[in-house]
Amino acid sequence: MNFPVLSAITFVPLLISLIVLIIPKSKENLIRWASTILSLIPLALALYVYYVVQADPGTMQFREEYSWIPALDVYYRMGVDGLSAVMLVLTALLSTLCLYYSIYTVKDRVKEYYFLFLLLQVGMTGVFVSLDFVFFYVFWEIGLVPMYLLIGVWGGKRRIYASIKFFLYTLTGSMAMLLAIIAVYLNTGTFDILKAAAAQPFANNLTYAAVAFWAFFIAFAIKVPIFPFHTWLPDAHTEAPTTGSVILAGVLLKLGAYGLIRIVLPMFPEQFAYYSYEVPIIPILAVISIVYGALVCMAQWDLKRLIAYSSVSHMGYVTLGVSAAAASLHAPGADPTSAIIALNGASLQLFTHGIITGGLFFLVGMIYDRSHTRQIKDFGGLGVKMPYYYGIMMVTGFASLGLPGLAGFWSELFVFRGTFAVIPTFAMIGIFGLVFTAAYILWKIIQHVFLGEFDQEKWDAATHNAKITDMATFEKVTMWPLVILMVLVGLYPSLITRLLNAVSTVLLNNF
Amino acid sequence: MQIFLFLLPQLVLFLSVMLVFGIDLMGSKEKKWLPYLALTGAVISLGISIYLYGWMDFEEGTVLGGMIAIDSFSLFFQIFASLVAVFITLLSMAYMKVKSPYQGEFYSFILLVSFAISLLALSSDLVMIFIAFELLSISSYILTGFFRHDPKSSEAGIKYFLYGSLASAMMLYGMSLLYGATASTNLVEIARGLVGIDPSLNWVVFPAIVLMLVGFGFKTATAPFHQWSPDAYEGAPTPVTAFLAVGSIGAGFAILIRVMITALPEFQMNWAALITGLSIISMTLGNLVAISQKNIKRMLAYSGIAHSGYILIGLVSWESSVLGTVFDGLSGILVYLLVYLAANLGAFAVVTAIEHKTGSNQIEDYAGLIKRSPLLAGTMAVFLLSLIGIPGTGGFIGKLLVFGSALRAEYYFLALVAIINSVVAGFYYLNVIRYMFFQPLDEPAREEIQVPGSLSVVLVLACVFTLLMGILAQPFIHFVQTSLKLVLS
């Protein structure tokens, strides 16, 4: 039997969390370093999976299948293709960086923190590798509890409100999904995600198909989040501890979008196309998310909240790309290449948004740790005082607004290139989002925080005489892998798109 | 011989009742070991019932003049009853030692109610059902009002008694109507009598069903027959509350299932409609009222009403043709009962431990529990997550099966109400978790809470059960699916 690589990636963090549980509470440094160093194992395995999968990214590899609950026909099914492999690398990378960053920043209840964080990693990783609905659902929900506790215990002032809101929103979506999963099972007779998609559930009953489609869609839309289901996000992101925000923005949001691409699109292509083209609810919601999210950012003076809303806007591109791909099925004269390009853009955006916004949240956390304020108006002229930080923030911010040469450019280009060919109206409205994004990043972040004269008195008043220091070594170490990736993917996007393209092609050709 | 073997667990329980009671009566000064005697009796009974379940083959049918049904369903509830006896005894040990001098009476009644549960579950005749039902009820009234010097406990006992007598009377009236319609008190005979019954007699059978549902609804704490439960839960000694929440409700479902499926399959259309209504009212009312509760025992009472509502879904969507397949409803009920047994007993063990130490049952006094006792806070979190239905705990498997059965039987509205309610329930369960984990201690120097040994056993076992049923559900579901053989006509 082959070595079960995917099980290892998923469950090694669980093993580490159990090790953390055994280490006595007082040995905080041992807990910190042991979990960080051991978390390199799943990262290495994820890179190995990426390396192997890229040879043939269109097919599911590393398949594992064992019977789990035969009485319910539930299997332990795992497998990865190009898309999941990319997401695996993203998850493992951001987790390791967060664990490393926490060594220096988390001082309170260290043991519980590391235990929960590793549990969270199990949940996230599991979603990307599972190919069985119940199995998928189990991981989907398991991540919820540690995240809830992370926000609630280590979060900011309004953490209790934010954590409950986060939990209940997601639980609502999950419950809808649970019913949909059961309905699909009763219709197709299998919990296998790939087989169920191939069986096209409810193909002969459009009402049921529409209901099941919306149940899945809403479950994932809450997680993405798509307007109007986004209201948990600003609260959760703002109140979460830095690493919590990084994981929320970097990985948890991707779970929703991944679900749209992996489950909803192949299983309900007709419904997805109908609600993207004939009754274009989904692209409308997508462009509202894009434009509205960006406009809120323009009006936002809380730095962390601003970046939280920028996620709403940026995840809107993903939804737009996926819906364009779906709409190509019904749009007359839409060429299949454009659909594939749109889907490539959407899935590439998952990766680029993960590293870019993850990086932005790290950066916000760094300045908050110094000043204990997130109000943009309290800052100003920091470019002189923190040149290194300024430089990193420039790169990350430019990547976020889609400057050519950096990672964010390609995903946005692909999304709009694909969408223009299929549903041009929405692409045209959505493009305003890009303009606003450039505006709030340049005006709000770069200008207000870094440019101008540094006013020592204002700073002292706002931060109670906090010391200004430039980035410490551990902060540089945390940021560099992300910055390198932004540049690398910016210069050589096929590193990722080669894998995604194969998946998109297979997906759309199966229609 | 077969009858004797089959009834051995009950006989052991009953013998232990007599033994504990008798020794207590002899007036020996040393009564410290009485709880252990009761525990031994319960464990032996559990051992025998597991042995009978796993290693003995019984000929299915009714014996003793049709009074008692020998089937795997009965055996399942024998195990259930013995489990309840074992756990409630363990739960009571440390708590009752300081609270009451009447050790002998208390433990003999705990064993007696467990005996009544198993007796009720295997009755297959209306007369027998009524006797077992009353035995269970009257013992429960006494246990609820056990602290006779505590006004709350006495009030709870009286209230429970008044509601209970009314419910019993109505149920008895319903039974007599059914007897009038079919000329038999035997469930199997009744079912035969109802096949092709003269339609004019429907007006006897319908009221009979309604009246009997009042009785069963009372026992299962189903709205709108639930009014006794919050007060009884709050006033009763906490281990007795745990019994009411788990044992009594389990017994109620056992007999509800048996009567509906064995005696009244002809009228499924009618009782399913009624039970659908009860289920919707129970889920919604229980969850909505639970939100505003400040006392954890009352909160668990209302959430228990809601859980009864979820369980009823399984009965509504029962169809004999799909028995033993995925999502057949009945196996959903039994799995849910097992899951609920573990999670609720565990939760009440935590409540007992905290009340034992602090004397308070207010949810706000759970603030900072993680600092005072990580064991209590951690296990309580697992139990509450299981009650919400988070995967990885047994509660998820229970909900999956029950909701699945609703969808399979095409009760879409019921499924929708159930999931909306699950989210509402998430809110108040999380509220407790929030207090335990997020709320800082108001007085920083509060002492740690030591958990007595017997309670730790319950906590750990319940926690392991809860997690096992979530992660390795197969043996449990298999166990339940083989327990679905009821005596039918």
Side-chain angles (χ1 to χ4, degrees), chain B residues 284-362:
Chain B
T284 315
L285 182 133
N287 280 324
L288 289 181
V289 183
I291 293 175
S292 59
Q293 298 305 316
K294 303 260 186 294
N295 181 307
I296 192 146
K297 282 162 87 177
R298 285 186 85 85
M299 187 205 92
L300 287 172
Y302 281 107
S303 88
I305 295 168
H307 283 289
S308 291
Y310 298 130
I311 297 175
L312 286 178
I313 296 176
L315 182 57
V316 170
S317 36
W318 168 78
E319 283 166 49
S320 56
S321 56
V322 294
L323 214 59
T325 61
V326 185
F327 300 136
D328 66 67
L330 265 201
S331 51
I333 295 188
L334 297 193
V335 168
Y336 207 109
L337 275 179
L338 280 183
V339 167
Y340 186 68
L341 170 95
N344 233 13
L345 267 182
F348 275 110
V350 174
V351 174
T352 312
I354 289 169
E355 195 194 332
H356 184 59
K357 187 75 192 176
T358 67
S360 167
N361 281 320
Q362 298 301 310

Side-chain angles (χ1 to χ4, degrees), chain B residues 195-263:
Chain B
V195 178
I197 193 173
D198 181 0
S200 65
L201 278 176
N202 280 354
W203 296 107
V204 181
V205 180
F206 289 166
I209 294 175
V210 173
L211 289 168
M212 278 162 56
L213 274 180
V214 173
F216 302 145
F218 163 79
K219 210 60 304 158
T220 53
T222 303
F225 315 114
H226 67 283
Q227 284 98 339
W228 60 275
S229 95
D231 292 314
Y233 277 41
E234 190 189 354
T238 307
V240 175
T241 313
F243 162 75
L244 292 178
V246 177
S248 180
I249 284 182
F253 277 109
I255 198 57
L256 176 64
I257 293 169
R258 191 183 284 286
V259 169
M260 292 302 152
I261 289 178
T262 305

Side-chain angles (χ1 to χ4, degrees), chain A residues 429-476:
Chain A
I429 306 169
I431 214 97
F432 282 103
L434 287 182
V435 181
F436 296 137
T437 307
Y440 68 73
I441 286 190
L442 294 175
W443 172 52
K444 274 286 172 49
I445 299 181
I446 304 295
Q447 185 186 331
H448 269 92
V449 177
F450 296 103
L451 301 183
E453 287 283 310
F454 178 73
D455 185 345
Q456 187 71 44
E457 278 176 21
K458 187 177 92 177
W459 171 268
D460 286 344
T463 66
H464 306 292
N465 307 317
K467 261 175 60 185
I468 315 176
T469 48
D470 208 343
M471 284 171 89
T473 317
F474 80 92
E475 293 170 332
K476 292 177 190 166

Side-chain angles (χ1 to χ4, degrees), chain A residues 23 72 77 89 99 214 227 231 286 348 388 419 440 462 470 472 477:
Chain A
I23 303 177
L72 290 180
R77 286 194 183 98
V89 173
L99 289 170
W214 281 111
F227 177 91
T231 59
L348 181 62
Y388 202 102
T419 313
Y440 68 73
D470 208 343
V477 174

Side-chain angles (χ1 to χ4, degrees), chain A residues 468-490:
Chain A
I468 315 176
T469 48
D470 208 343
M471 284 171 89
T473 317
F474 80 92
E475 293 170 332
K476 292 177 190 166
V477 174
T478 311
M479 284 309 294
W480 268 114
L482 297 175
V483 172
I484 291 172
L485 269 177
M486 285 173 218
V487 177
L488 199 62
V489 176

Side-chain angles (χ1 to χ4, degrees), chain A residues 305-322:
Chain A
R305 238 181 144 74
L306 185 151
I307 294 169
Y309 272 107
S310 83
S311 288
V312 177
S313 174
H314 279 119
M315 292 306 284
Y317 300 137
V318 178
T319 320
L320 188 63
V322 179

